[in-house]
Amino acid sequence: MSLDIIGRCWHCGRDLTRADYGRETACLGCSKPTRVCLNCRFFARGRPNDCVEPMAEPVAAKDRANFCPFFEPTRTPAGTTTPTQDLRRAADELFK
């Protein structure tokens, strides 16, 4: 059976499958909850409720598990960066 990677952990960046997004499920890499706003494709810091889904109920703690019916995993969660972003940050730090 092949495990299809559908997202990444917002805290440690570990690849996650559909089975890793249960309401009470934690990441095997860092033990942080996975079904959280920071792991959702609708999360957008600075937007009302930090969410682009207008029908979503407000969630106070974006890093805690919740029952949001609009949750959809994202491959680039808010807490992780891509290699390109890492290189850009390193270059910015070098030329300060």
Side-chain angles (χ1 to χ4, degrees), residues 28-96:
L28 295 175
C30 64
S31 299
K32 299 289 185 182
T34 54
R35 190 182 174 93
V36 299
C37 292
L38 295 173
N39 249 6
C40 182
R41 79 175 190 93
F42 294 117
F43 179 77
R45 201 173 305 278
R47 297 289 303 256
N49 193 31
D50 290 331
C51 186
V52 296
E53 174 51 59
M55 300 297 291
E57 295 288 325
V59 175
K62 307 297 184 197
D63 61 346
R64 299 186 109 182
N66 61 65
F67 291 103
C68 182
F70 300 105
F71 177 84
E72 289 184 26
T74 181
R75 296 276 305 167
T76 55
T80 60
T81 59
T82 64
T84 303
Q85 291 169 323
D86 292 338
L87 288 172
R88 176 64 184 205
R89 183 177 309 137
D92 290 342
E93 290 293 320
L94 182 64
F95 295 108
K96 271 189 177 180

Side-chain angles (χ1 to χ4, degrees), residues 6-41:
I6 63 168
R8 295 176 57 200
C9 176
W10 63 274
H11 188 259
C12 71
R14 181 185 179 104
D15 289 337
L16 301 172
T17 65
R18 185 159 309 282
D20 294 320
Y21 287 103
R23 169 65 174 86
E24 299 292 326
T25 306
C27 175
L28 295 175
C30 64
S31 299
K32 299 289 185 182
T34 54
R35 190 182 174 93
V36 299
C37 292
L38 295 173
N39 249 6
C40 182
R41 79 175 190 93

